[in-house]
Amino acid sequence: MSTFLTADCHFFHGAMLKFCPETRPYAGVEEMNDAMAAAWSGVRPTDEVIVVGDFAHRADPKDLRKLFDSLPGVKRLIKGNHDGPNTLSLPWASIHDVAYVTVDSTYCVLAHYPWRTWPRMKRGALMLYGHHHGRLPGNNQSCDIGVDVFGPAPVRLSQIKAHLATLPPLVDPESGNDFENDGVKP
C-alpha cells in the first residue's frame, strides 16, 4: 500500500477553468473531470489517497458519486472551503478538518489552509496544504500540494519532498532568543 496526496481537484467546478487557465487548459468541465480522473490511474485500489480539501464543487450528487466511485484507492478527506454537503456525504474512509499523519516515516500536518507554525516543525515535520492554487510560496518544510502545483495526479510524498528541496529555507519566527521579557512575569 502506498499513500498519495492531492488537493484542490475542484471536480465539476467550471470557474476553475478561468481561475487557473495555465494548469487547467480544458475546453470544459467534462474534459477537466475526465482528464483529472484518468490521472488517478497510477493509484491502486489498496493505496490511500488523502485529498487536502476542495475535492468537488457544484456537482450533481449522482454524478459526483459516480465519479467518486470510479476513482481508485482508499480515499480520505481533509475538509476544504468548497467541500459542501454532497462531497461530505460521500463514503470517505475518514473526514477531518486537520490531520496529523506519518507518511513514509515523515510526520506531516495536513490542513486545507497553510499554517505559519505547526507541531513538530522544529523536528522536521512538514506542513502540507492547498487552497491557494500555487499562488502562495512555500518553503523547504511547507508547500501547496494541489493540482495546480503538482498536476492532476495524486502524488507520493517523495515527489513532494523533491519539490520542497527546491524551495527556500523555512524562516522560523520562534527561533533564537529574540523575545524580551522586560521583567514582566507570567
Side-chain angles (χ1 to χ4, degrees):
M1 178 183 114
S2 296
T3 299
F4 291 83
L5 299 116
T6 190
D8 297 310
C9 301
H10 284 267
F11 285 108
F12 299 96
H13 194 177
M16 294 308 299
L17 301 173
K18 292 179 183 175
F19 186 62
C20 298
E22 310 83 28
T23 56
R24 298 178 191 246
Y26 309 110
V29 170
E30 187 174 329
E31 183 181 329
M32 178 180 74
N33 287 350
D34 291 347
M36 291 196 328
W40 286 50
S41 63
V43 176
R44 296 172 299 193
T46 57
D47 290 337
E48 180 178 62
V49 179
I50 304 173
V51 178
V52 185
D54 290 357
F55 176 72
H57 186 57
R58 297 184 180 166
D60 174 80
K62 289 179 184 175
D63 292 339
L64 178 59
R65 178 61 190 259
K66 183 178 176 184
L67 172 74
F68 183 88
D69 290 344
S70 76
L71 298 174
V74 176
K75 296 174 282 293
R76 301 182 183 283
L77 178 67
I78 309 304
K79 289 190 275 186
N81 57 302
H82 287 286
D83 294 317
N86 293 337
T87 296
L88 298 177
S89 69
L90 294 168
W92 299 95
S94 65
I95 298 175
H96 297 283
D97 291 316
V98 174
Y100 303 93
V101 299
T102 300
V103 178
D104 301 337
S105 303
T106 301
Y107 189 79
C108 302
V109 177
L110 308 176
H112 185 61
Y113 301 101
W115 295 3
R116 289 278 304 244
T117 60
W118 54 92
R120 301 188 191 178
M121 179 175 86
K122 292 182 182 182
R123 288 181 266 153
L126 304 179
M127 198 295 123
L128 307 176
Y129 58 88
H131 188 67
H132 291 281
H133 301 273
R135 290 174 170 86
L136 182 69
N139 59 61
N140 66 357
Q141 273 185 257
S142 176
C143 73
D144 185 332
I145 61 166
V147 164
D148 301 299
V149 176
F150 282 94
V155 295
R156 294 176 191 229
L157 187 61
S158 59
Q159 293 166 276
I160 295 169
K161 284 182 168 182
H163 175 71
L164 288 168
T166 69
L167 300 177
L170 168 70
V171 176
D172 180 1
E174 296 178 351
S175 66
N177 270 338
D178 55 356
F179 293 105
E180 293 192 24
N181 188 332
D182 290 335
V184 178
K185 295 183 180 181

